[in-house]
Amino acid sequence: MIAGGWMNDPNGFSVYGGKVHLFYQYYPYDTKWGPMHWGHQVTEDMVHWQECKAALAPDEEYDKEGCFSGSALETEEGHVLLYTGVTKDKKSGQERQNQCIAIGDGSEYKKTADCPVITGEMMPQGFSRVDFRDPKVWKEGDCYYLLAGNRDESGNGQVVLFSSMDLYNWRYEGVLAHNGGVIGSMWECPDFFALDGADVLICSPQDMKAQGYEFHNGNNAVYFLGSYDKEQKLFTKEKPVSLDYGLDFYAPQTTCLPDGRRILIAWMHSWDDSFIPKGQRWKGMMTLPRELSIVDGRLFQRPVRELERYWKNNVCYKKARIEGERQFEGVSGRTIDFTVKILSGSFREFVVDVAGSDEYFTRFTFQKEKGIMEVDRTYSGVTKDIVCIRRAKMDGSERVKLRFIMDKNSVELFVNDGEMVLSTVIYTPLKAQEIRFICDGSALVDIEKYEIE
């Protein structure tokens, strides 16, 4: 955790020197968004993180308005960071976004003399030079590729593709994918990778309208499955699907570990939520890193397995019956990993209240007949008019598995081994430790809980 300031998008999520590095949009001087720096943390297991000094600051002519989001990769030259430098055109005073490069040794980073290495002028006429950001870089064979979010001449979101043999001299390849004028507006923070026989595009479209139980966040994070034509440099995408159905999730980024696992992390926050408790010196947090897989044509997300190394004080109940309201001895806490398996039962609603006390709770409700999972943080301690309830459509079967990962100020619910995830920030006082189960009929459940040290 950073000592203070503002944090948003994860950047430069990568492996270098045998460790996992995470950079992030960072403003160290206030709990509000400001001129963007790159904060930096490093880990060996993706659970315990060590803070490093900021890697980038807006201190050059080409990035004096901010060092915006980007990515990183390990090369023979060192740890290469690709980021968006924001400046203003001297003649028009209009903002410009271009792609810049810095190289480091895992601790110290220096911007190169070549910056910016990709400019808006390299794209076709009419493509936005103002909304052109968030480069994601990877290597295939001897060639490097880079995606960036952009708008076309009609203001519609798209991701544009570049290639290079040396990371310094880039060539525009074309538009990898386009929103068709219907999937939000600007596509921020694109990511592109192959996984389990499918090609996957992740992005964060702004200004999306809700469709049923999908895309309720305004600024959303979605994924597309599809197929990539490497010759034509085109991605044929299927329909967008939400990556997370909770209240706080945006700008996810992935990396591939040496063991082949594809890992995702995201900013656990909403752009439209400005609430923090009085006196709090920090704003923003990240999700727990998640392992990705494709199962039956859907992207599954599971907590990284390394979390299990930090389990202690196991409490387990088998085939416990819940009728009305019930608590279980030893099942409480705020830094815990606990799972509830609904084995059978006759009920309409099954409720789990977490971070509870006489005054507070955050409620998760499984509405079996409707096939709905609902999160409600109305009584979590908020004192501002912010969104507190969200619902997601799920399988209405009787057997449901709910795994809750709780940190002091967050709850991440993984439904049915990662088929659906709901991530929610709560600023509930830490004295609220209770977990309550409520059933309007009768349910038979297994409960297993671990503290996380």
Side-chain angles (χ1 to χ4, degrees), residues 60 122 129 228 245 289 317 424 441:
E60 298 288 347
M122 297 169 64
R129 277 61 169 152
Y228 177 49
Y245 292 85
Y317 292 88
T424 298

Side-chain angles (χ1 to χ4, degrees), residues 313-318 329 331 446-449:
N313 299 333
N314 175 238
V315 176
C316 185
Y317 292 88
K318 293 292 186 180
E329 184 177 355
V331 181
D446 288 346
I447 300 172
E448 187 160 22
K449 172 246 179 178

Side-chain angles (χ1 to χ4, degrees), residues 192-363:
F192 189 56
F193 52 90
L195 181 67
D196 298 334
D199 293 310
V200 185
L201 174 65
I202 286 175
C203 62
S204 297
Q206 297 178 315
D207 309 315
M208 288 189 74
K209 293 181 180 179
Q211 299 177 21
Y213 290 99
E214 296 278 347
F215 319 132
H216 283 230
N217 297 61
N219 296 307
N220 283 267
V222 305
Y223 72 89
F224 304 89
L225 300 184
S227 59
Y228 177 49
D229 186 328
K230 292 187 178 182
E231 296 298 322
Q232 298 295 321
K233 304 292 191 298
L234 289 174
F235 176 67
T236 302
K237 63 186 186 298
E238 300 175 4
K239 67 177 183 179
V241 181
S242 296
L243 270 162
D244 194 287
Y245 292 85
L247 292 152
D248 299 284
F249 187 94
Y250 193 68
Q253 189 171 106
T254 75
T255 192
C256 187
L257 299 184
D259 63 12
R261 284 182 291 164
R262 176 65 58 172
I263 306 297
L264 176 147
I265 194 167
W267 182 41
M268 190 157 40
H269 191 40
S270 165
W271 276 116
D272 297 316
D273 174 8
S274 61
F275 171 69
I276 57 173
K278 184 178 180 180
Q280 183 168 293
R281 296 177 54 245
W282 58 270
K283 177 70 169 174
M285 63 184 84
M286 298 294 170
T287 65
L288 185 71
R290 304 169 181 181
E291 299 180 16
L292 302 184
S293 61
I294 304 293
V295 180
D296 296 329
R298 188 179 181 93
L299 188 67
F300 274 53
Q301 306 170 67
R302 297 177 176 88
V304 287
R305 63 196 68 174
E306 285 82 356
L307 184 65
E308 297 173 15
R309 302 175 188 173
Y310 296 91
W311 283 352
K312 66 176 184 179
N313 299 333
N314 175 238
V315 176
C316 185
Y317 292 88
K318 293 292 186 180
K319 295 184 177 180
R321 186 166 297 279
I322 298 176
E323 298 174 341
E325 181 177 328
R326 186 173 178 184
Q327 297 184 51
F328 292 85
E329 184 177 355
V331 181
S332 61
R334 289 288 289 275
T335 52
I336 59 174
D337 181 346
F338 79 97
T339 298
V340 184
K341 294 181 183 178
I342 303 176
L343 305 176
S344 63
S346 177
F347 60 88
R348 291 177 301 170
E349 293 188 344
F350 183 89
V351 173
V352 183
D353 286 348
V354 302
S357 67
D358 290 341
E359 184 177 0
Y360 302 106
F361 62 86
T362 294
R363 174 161 292 182

